[in-house]
Short mmCIF file of all heavy atoms in Angstrom, two decimals:
data_model
loop_
_atom_site.label_atom_id
_atom_site.label_comp_id
_atom_site.label_asym_id
_atom_site.label_seq_id
_atom_site.Cartn_x
_atom_site.Cartn_y
_atom_site.Cartn_z
N THR V 2 0.37 2.40 0.51
CA THR V 2 1.13 3.62 0.49
C THR V 2 1.55 4.11 1.86
O THR V 2 0.74 3.98 2.83
CB THR V 2 0.27 4.69 -0.21
OG1 THR V 2 -0.01 4.36 -1.57
CG2 THR V 2 0.93 6.04 -0.16
N ILE V 3 2.75 4.55 2.01
CA ILE V 3 3.26 5.10 3.25
C ILE V 3 3.38 6.64 3.04
O ILE V 3 3.93 7.13 2.10
CB ILE V 3 4.64 4.57 3.61
CG1 ILE V 3 4.59 3.04 3.73
CG2 ILE V 3 5.17 5.22 4.91
CD1 ILE V 3 5.99 2.42 3.95
N ILE V 4 2.72 7.39 3.98
CA ILE V 4 2.90 8.82 3.99
C ILE V 4 3.40 9.21 5.35
O ILE V 4 3.12 8.58 6.36
CB ILE V 4 1.58 9.58 3.66
CG1 ILE V 4 0.53 9.38 4.75
CG2 ILE V 4 1.08 9.20 2.31
CD1 ILE V 4 -0.70 10.33 4.54
N GLY V 5 4.22 10.24 5.38
CA GLY V 5 4.78 10.73 6.67
C GLY V 5 4.14 12.05 7.07
O GLY V 5 3.76 12.81 6.17
N TRP V 94 14.84 1.58 15.06
CA TRP V 94 14.84 1.97 13.68
C TRP V 94 16.17 1.76 13.03
O TRP V 94 16.27 1.36 11.85
CB TRP V 94 14.36 3.43 13.46
CG TRP V 94 12.92 3.54 13.66
CD1 TRP V 94 12.17 4.04 14.74
CD2 TRP V 94 11.94 3.14 12.66
NE1 TRP V 94 10.87 3.96 14.52
CE2 TRP V 94 10.65 3.43 13.25
CE3 TRP V 94 11.97 2.66 11.42
CZ2 TRP V 94 9.50 3.24 12.55
CZ3 TRP V 94 10.74 2.38 10.70
CH2 TRP V 94 9.56 2.70 11.32
N GLU V 98 15.01 -0.92 10.45
CA GLU V 98 14.25 -0.03 9.50
C GLU V 98 13.99 -0.76 8.16
O GLU V 98 12.86 -0.61 7.62
CB GLU V 98 15.09 1.25 9.20
CG GLU V 98 14.37 2.16 8.18
CD GLU V 98 15.02 3.57 8.10
OE1 GLU V 98 15.96 3.81 8.84
OE2 GLU V 98 14.50 4.37 7.30
N GLU V 99 14.88 -1.42 7.61
CA GLU V 99 14.68 -2.13 6.34
C GLU V 99 13.56 -3.14 6.44
O GLU V 99 12.64 -3.10 5.60
CB GLU V 99 15.97 -2.74 5.91
CG GLU V 99 15.84 -3.40 4.50
CD GLU V 99 17.11 -3.97 3.92
OE1 GLU V 99 18.25 -3.60 4.44
OE2 GLU V 99 17.12 -4.78 2.99
N THR V 102 10.17 -1.28 7.03
CA THR V 102 9.74 -0.60 5.84
C THR V 102 9.10 -1.60 4.86
O THR V 102 8.05 -1.32 4.26
CB THR V 102 10.80 0.20 5.21
OG1 THR V 102 11.38 1.15 6.14
CG2 THR V 102 10.36 0.98 3.93
N ARG V 103 9.77 -2.69 4.65
CA ARG V 103 9.29 -3.71 3.70
C ARG V 103 7.96 -4.25 4.14
O ARG V 103 7.05 -4.43 3.33
CB ARG V 103 10.40 -4.83 3.65
CG ARG V 103 10.07 -5.82 2.55
CD ARG V 103 11.31 -6.65 2.26
NE ARG V 103 11.83 -7.34 3.46
CZ ARG V 103 13.02 -7.05 4.05
NH1 ARG V 103 13.83 -6.15 3.53
NH2 ARG V 103 13.41 -7.72 5.12
N ASP V 106 5.23 -1.46 3.80
CA ASP V 106 4.95 -1.20 2.41
C ASP V 106 4.07 -2.28 1.78
O ASP V 106 3.45 -2.12 0.74
CB ASP V 106 6.28 -1.12 1.62
CG ASP V 106 6.07 -0.38 0.30
OD1 ASP V 106 5.22 0.53 0.17
OD2 ASP V 106 6.81 -0.74 -0.68
N ALA V 114 2.76 7.59 8.99
CA ALA V 114 3.91 7.52 9.92
C ALA V 114 4.01 8.82 10.59
O ALA V 114 4.26 9.93 10.04
CB ALA V 114 5.18 7.23 9.14
N LEU V 116 6.09 11.18 12.40
CA LEU V 116 7.54 11.43 12.42
C LEU V 116 7.97 12.37 13.51
O LEU V 116 9.18 12.52 13.73
CB LEU V 116 8.04 11.99 10.98
CG LEU V 116 7.63 11.15 9.81
CD1 LEU V 116 7.95 11.92 8.55
CD2 LEU V 116 8.39 9.84 9.81
N ASP V 121 17.92 14.64 11.69
CA ASP V 121 18.95 14.24 10.70
C ASP V 121 18.51 12.96 9.94
O ASP V 121 18.90 12.79 8.73
CB ASP V 121 20.24 13.98 11.42
CG ASP V 121 20.87 15.18 11.98
OD1 ASP V 121 20.55 16.28 11.53
OD2 ASP V 121 21.69 15.06 12.96
N HIS V 122 17.75 12.08 10.54
CA HIS V 122 17.30 10.90 9.87
C HIS V 122 15.79 10.75 10.00
O HIS V 122 15.27 10.99 11.05
CB HIS V 122 17.98 9.67 10.46
CG HIS V 122 17.55 8.38 9.83
ND1 HIS V 122 17.86 8.00 8.50
CD2 HIS V 122 16.77 7.35 10.28
CE1 HIS V 122 17.30 6.85 8.18
NE2 HIS V 122 16.62 6.43 9.19
N ILE V 123 15.12 10.45 8.86
CA ILE V 123 13.69 10.30 8.77
C ILE V 123 13.42 8.83 8.41
O ILE V 123 13.70 8.42 7.29
CB ILE V 123 13.09 11.27 7.79
CG1 ILE V 123 13.35 12.72 8.15
CG2 ILE V 123 11.52 11.02 7.73
CD1 ILE V 123 12.89 13.70 7.13
N PRO V 124 12.87 8.02 9.33
CA PRO V 124 12.61 6.63 9.03
C PRO V 124 11.70 6.45 7.77
O PRO V 124 10.69 7.17 7.65
CB PRO V 124 11.90 6.11 10.27
CG PRO V 124 12.41 6.96 11.38
CD PRO V 124 12.55 8.36 10.77
N MET V 125 12.05 5.56 6.92
CA MET V 125 11.25 5.11 5.79
C MET V 125 11.12 6.17 4.74
O MET V 125 10.32 6.06 3.79
CB MET V 125 9.88 4.67 6.18
CG MET V 125 9.83 3.56 7.22
SD MET V 125 8.18 2.88 7.54
CE MET V 125 7.41 4.27 8.42
N LEU V 126 11.88 7.24 4.71
CA LEU V 126 11.70 8.35 3.79
C LEU V 126 11.73 7.88 2.33
O LEU V 126 10.88 8.40 1.56
CB LEU V 126 12.79 9.43 4.08
CG LEU V 126 12.67 10.65 3.18
CD1 LEU V 126 11.37 11.40 3.36
CD2 LEU V 126 13.82 11.59 3.45
N ASP V 127 12.65 7.07 2.03
CA ASP V 127 12.77 6.68 0.59
C ASP V 127 11.58 5.86 0.06
O ASP V 127 11.45 5.68 -1.14
CB ASP V 127 14.08 5.89 0.36
CG ASP V 127 15.36 6.78 0.51
OD1 ASP V 127 15.16 8.06 0.37
OD2 ASP V 127 16.45 6.28 0.67
N SER V 128 10.77 5.35 0.98
CA SER V 128 9.61 4.53 0.58
C SER V 128 8.30 5.34 0.65
O SER V 128 7.25 4.81 0.41
CB SER V 128 9.51 3.27 1.39
OG SER V 128 10.60 2.45 1.17
N MET V 129 8.36 6.55 1.13
CA MET V 129 7.15 7.38 1.26
C MET V 129 6.69 7.96 -0.07
O MET V 129 7.55 8.33 -0.88
CB MET V 129 7.39 8.47 2.26
CG MET V 129 7.51 7.96 3.71
SD MET V 129 7.75 9.37 4.86
CE MET V 129 8.10 8.44 6.35
N ARG V 130 5.42 8.05 -0.21
CA ARG V 130 4.83 8.79 -1.35
C ARG V 130 4.59 10.20 -1.17
O ARG V 130 4.40 11.00 -2.08
CB ARG V 130 3.47 8.12 -1.80
CG ARG V 130 3.65 6.67 -2.23
CD ARG V 130 4.37 6.48 -3.52
NE ARG V 130 4.34 5.07 -3.96
CZ ARG V 130 4.93 4.65 -5.09
NH1 ARG V 130 5.61 5.54 -5.78
NH2 ARG V 130 4.84 3.43 -5.45
N MET V 131 4.47 10.56 0.14
CA MET V 131 4.15 11.95 0.47
C MET V 131 4.61 12.24 1.91
O MET V 131 4.65 11.35 2.75
CB MET V 131 2.62 12.16 0.46
CG MET V 131 2.17 13.60 0.80
SD MET V 131 0.33 13.74 1.10
CE MET V 131 -0.32 12.89 -0.32
N VAL V 132 5.07 13.52 2.13
CA VAL V 132 5.40 13.97 3.40
C VAL V 132 4.56 15.23 3.71
O VAL V 132 4.52 16.14 2.88
CB VAL V 132 6.84 14.25 3.71
CG1 VAL V 132 7.08 14.98 5.02
CG2 VAL V 132 7.68 12.98 3.69
N ALA V 152 14.68 20.36 1.10
CA ALA V 152 15.48 19.21 1.46
C ALA V 152 14.74 17.89 1.12
O ALA V 152 15.35 16.88 0.75
CB ALA V 152 15.89 19.20 2.97
N LEU V 153 13.41 17.90 1.24
CA LEU V 153 12.69 16.70 1.13
C LEU V 153 12.23 16.31 -0.29
O LEU V 153 12.17 15.15 -0.66
CB LEU V 153 11.38 16.72 1.99
CG LEU V 153 11.55 16.68 3.49
CD1 LEU V 153 10.20 17.06 4.21
CD2 LEU V 153 12.01 15.33 3.88
N TRP V 154 11.98 17.38 -1.11
CA TRP V 154 11.35 17.08 -2.42
C TRP V 154 12.41 16.49 -3.32
O TRP V 154 13.35 17.08 -3.74
CB TRP V 154 10.79 18.44 -3.03
CG TRP V 154 10.01 18.11 -4.25
CD1 TRP V 154 8.77 17.54 -4.29
CD2 TRP V 154 10.42 18.34 -5.60
NE1 TRP V 154 8.34 17.44 -5.64
CE2 TRP V 154 9.32 17.87 -6.40
CE3 TRP V 154 11.56 18.80 -6.17
CZ2 TRP V 154 9.40 17.96 -7.79
CZ3 TRP V 154 11.64 18.86 -7.58
CH2 TRP V 154 10.60 18.43 -8.37
N ARG V 155 12.11 15.23 -3.71
CA ARG V 155 12.87 14.46 -4.64
C ARG V 155 11.95 13.72 -5.56
O ARG V 155 11.43 12.72 -5.18
CB ARG V 155 13.86 13.52 -3.97
CG ARG V 155 14.92 14.22 -3.17
CD ARG V 155 15.69 13.22 -2.28
NE ARG V 155 14.88 12.72 -1.20
CZ ARG V 155 15.17 11.75 -0.45
NH1 ARG V 155 16.29 11.16 -0.65
NH2 ARG V 155 14.40 11.34 0.52
N PRO V 156 11.73 14.21 -6.81
CA PRO V 156 10.61 13.63 -7.65
C PRO V 156 10.79 12.18 -7.97
O PRO V 156 9.75 11.53 -8.28
CB PRO V 156 10.76 14.46 -8.89
CG PRO V 156 12.09 15.14 -8.95
CD PRO V 156 12.48 15.31 -7.44
N THR V 157 12.03 11.65 -7.92
CA THR V 157 12.18 10.26 -8.27
C THR V 157 11.67 9.33 -7.17
O THR V 157 11.21 8.23 -7.46
CB THR V 157 13.63 9.93 -8.47
OG1 THR V 157 14.39 10.31 -7.28
CG2 THR V 157 14.21 10.67 -9.72
N CYS V 158 11.67 9.76 -5.88
CA CYS V 158 11.17 8.87 -4.84
C CYS V 158 10.15 9.54 -3.85
O CYS V 158 9.50 8.82 -3.11
CB CYS V 158 12.32 8.29 -4.06
SG CYS V 158 13.41 9.51 -3.27
N LEU V 159 10.08 10.83 -3.90
CA LEU V 159 9.02 11.50 -3.03
C LEU V 159 8.38 12.55 -3.84
O LEU V 159 8.80 13.69 -3.83
CB LEU V 159 9.75 12.11 -1.80
CG LEU V 159 8.81 12.73 -0.72
CD1 LEU V 159 7.89 11.65 -0.19
CD2 LEU V 159 9.62 13.32 0.38
N PRO V 160 7.28 12.18 -4.52
CA PRO V 160 6.67 13.10 -5.51
C PRO V 160 5.93 14.23 -4.90
O PRO V 160 5.56 15.18 -5.62
CB PRO V 160 5.71 12.20 -6.32
CG PRO V 160 5.46 11.04 -5.41
CD PRO V 160 6.67 10.84 -4.61
N ARG V 238 4.10 4.81 -14.34
CA ARG V 238 5.53 4.78 -14.47
C ARG V 238 6.17 3.40 -14.49
O ARG V 238 7.28 3.23 -15.01
CB ARG V 238 6.23 5.59 -13.31
CG ARG V 238 5.99 7.11 -13.46
CD ARG V 238 6.99 7.82 -12.56
NE ARG V 238 6.70 7.50 -11.14
CZ ARG V 238 5.99 8.19 -10.29
NH1 ARG V 238 5.33 9.30 -10.78
NH2 ARG V 238 5.79 7.84 -9.02
#
Side-chain angles (χ1 to χ4, degrees):
T2 296
I3 302 173
I4 66 173
W94 284 103
E98 180 170 359
E99 184 176 344
T102 303
R103 189 165 55 246
D106 198 33
L116 304 171
D121 293 337
H122 179 69
I123 300 173
M125 305 187 291
L126 179 62
D127 288 343
S128 295
M129 290 180 187
R130 298 292 187 182
M131 180 193 310
V132 171
L153 290 170
W154 188 75
R155 291 171 291 170
T157 56
C158 58
L159 185 60
R238 287 196 297 267

